Structure formats: structure tokens, C-alpha cells
Amino acid sequence: MKVLIVLTSHDELGNTGVKTGFWLEELAAPYYRFKEAGWDITLASPKGGQPPLDPKSNEPGFQTDDTRRFEADAEATAALAHTVRLDSVSAGDFDTVFYPGGHGPLWDLAEDTVSARLIETTLRSGKPVGLVCHAPGVLRHTVNEDGTPLVAGKKVTGFTNSEEEAVQLTDVVPFLVEDELTKLGGLYSKTDDWQPYVLTDGLLITGQNPASSAPAADAVIELVTKAG
């Protein structure tokens, strides 16, 4: 099985001068879930090359066994340093697509037409898409074949308004994931802040926060394995 993991190329938190990017746990935990399933992993980002890591995600309080393992893994860090350009990949070459979060995707991937087409094409060809934490916000411009929002009428979750409030970025982000998914007609639900919560609706898998990244990857593996 082949999985494409799509990371952000955006490294600024609005006009604050503070750095952002992808959240390490949300890459590392799924990466090892897929690796242990024996899958072939390709990393991609809009600009290609080394995607920006949210420096906060590598602070001691946010490190996990998976993040430490990733940082010490020469093969993993080399793959991360050489992500392929998103516009160079074809949905047909992969069995599934997975989007880690971090705040970066709200600025670039959420507005990226290549990313939107990739998600739409993957789902329409009967293959699952997983998105975790802020990454469900990347669905904001994705549509069904009839032009309706992709998430309309679907059970979805993502980073909550209260979690965004807790990290004091409510007024910095371009939009709030919870509000956006709700506005688009998604059947948004959540659990307590920072607790794992994953929803599967058909081929669409969404996770609420960093703690949801490993279970979201497990849900993707389960769906792909069933289909295979």
C-alpha cells in the first residue's frame, strides 16, 4: 500500500513574526503507524523540499516517543528534507492521502487548488483521506461532483474553538476550523480539549487534535485494508 502524506510549506503565524509549520507529533505518529503496516510512504508539500516544523511542537512538553523516534531516524528526516512538490504527484499513484496539521495548513493548503483536487480525486476514486487537527480546515474549498461542499452532511471534527482559544491564536488564524466546518454544513462534533477523537464518515477520516493523530492513522489503515 502507498500513502501520500501532505505537509504545509507555510511558516508564519499571520503578521505576528512567530514561526509555525506542521506539528511534529501529527506527522511522526501516523508515519510510524503506516511504516509498521508495511506501507510505502511519500511526503509532499506545496513547495517541495524541507517543510517548516512548528518549533513549539518540538519543545520538551510536546515531545512523544514517536517524535523522538522520528528526530533520531535518519531515513525519516531525509524523507522530510526532500518532500516532493505537491503539484508533481498523481492521486492515482496512492491508496490513501493523509494530512497532518499544525497551523501552517490554514494559510497554504486550505487555499491550494492542487490540494483540493487531490482530495476530491482520491475520494471519488474510492480511496480514503485522513486529516487531523488543523488539517480538516484544508477541506474548506473541496466540493462534491455536484458543486456542494464536500463536508456538507458528513460527520467531521477538527481543532476546536476552545483549543484555539487555549493556545491564544483565535485572532491570528485566518479562520477557525470548527466554525468553518460547521458553516460548510459539516456535522461537526468534538470531545474534551486535547483528548483523542476521530470520526469516520464513508471514506473521510478526521481527527480533532494532536492526540488524535495515531488513532486517525489507524482508522485510515483499517479502511484501506478493508478495501484492499
Side-chain angles (χ1 to χ4, degrees):
M1 296 299 176
K2 294 184 174 179
V3 56
L4 178 69
I5 299 180
V6 182
L7 296 154
T8 182
S9 291
H10 184 85
D11 67 353
E12 294 277 339
L13 271 177
N15 302 317
T16 62
V18 176
K19 289 297 183 190
T20 190
F22 71 91
W23 196 261
L24 185 55
E25 163 76 355
E26 295 167 30
L27 167 62
Y31 179 90
Y32 288 114
R33 287 296 203 273
F34 297 138
K35 197 164 181 61
E36 280 149 20
W39 288 13
D40 183 42
I41 302 168
T42 299
L43 304 183
S45 61
K47 293 179 181 175
Q50 176 79 49
L53 171 69
D54 185 323
K56 202 167 182 62
S57 72
N58 212 8
E59 291 176 358
F62 294 112
Q63 288 174 354
T64 65
D65 289 346
D66 285 323
T67 67
R68 286 185 284 270
R69 181 180 174 188
F70 193 94
E71 292 278 275
D73 183 335
E75 183 187 358
T77 53
L80 184 62
H82 300 96
T83 67
V84 299
R85 278 179 61 107
L86 189 58
D87 60 10
S88 75
V89 302
S90 166
D93 292 339
F94 299 94
D95 297 288
T96 185
V97 181
F98 191 88
Y99 282 73
H103 283 87
L106 298 185
W107 276 272
D108 63 350
L109 289 167
E111 306 302 328
D112 191 309
T113 54
V114 174
S115 170
R117 297 300 90 78
L118 172 71
I119 292 168
E120 292 163 2
T121 305
T122 301
L123 291 170
R124 286 172 198 168
S125 57
K127 297 184 282 196
V129 173
L131 311 98
V132 72
C133 199
H134 285 88
V138 174
L139 298 167
R140 74 187 306 213
H141 296 305
T142 57
V143 293
N144 298 305
E145 290 185 76
D146 62 2
T148 55
L150 189 97
V151 301
K154 287 197 173 74
K155 291 182 288 188
V156 288
T157 190
F159 206 60
T160 67
N161 290 355
S162 52
E163 286 168 332
E164 202 66 82
E165 188 67 41
V167 297
Q168 301 181 321
L169 291 172
T170 302
D171 298 327
V172 174
V173 292
F175 63 92
L176 294 167
V177 175
E178 177 179 340
D179 287 355
E180 188 69 16
L181 293 172
T182 304
K183 186 181 87 179
L184 292 167
L187 306 177
Y188 180 91
S189 63
K190 59 189 173 182
T191 190
D192 295 339
D193 288 0
W194 316 115
Q195 296 305 303
Y197 187 64
V198 175
L199 290 174
T200 300
D201 191 322
L203 295 168
L204 186 64
I205 295 155
T206 49
Q208 180 177 314
N209 47 32
S212 310
S213 53
D218 289 339
V220 168
I221 291 167
E222 189 180 338
L223 268 191
V224 171
T225 307
K226 268 187 197 163

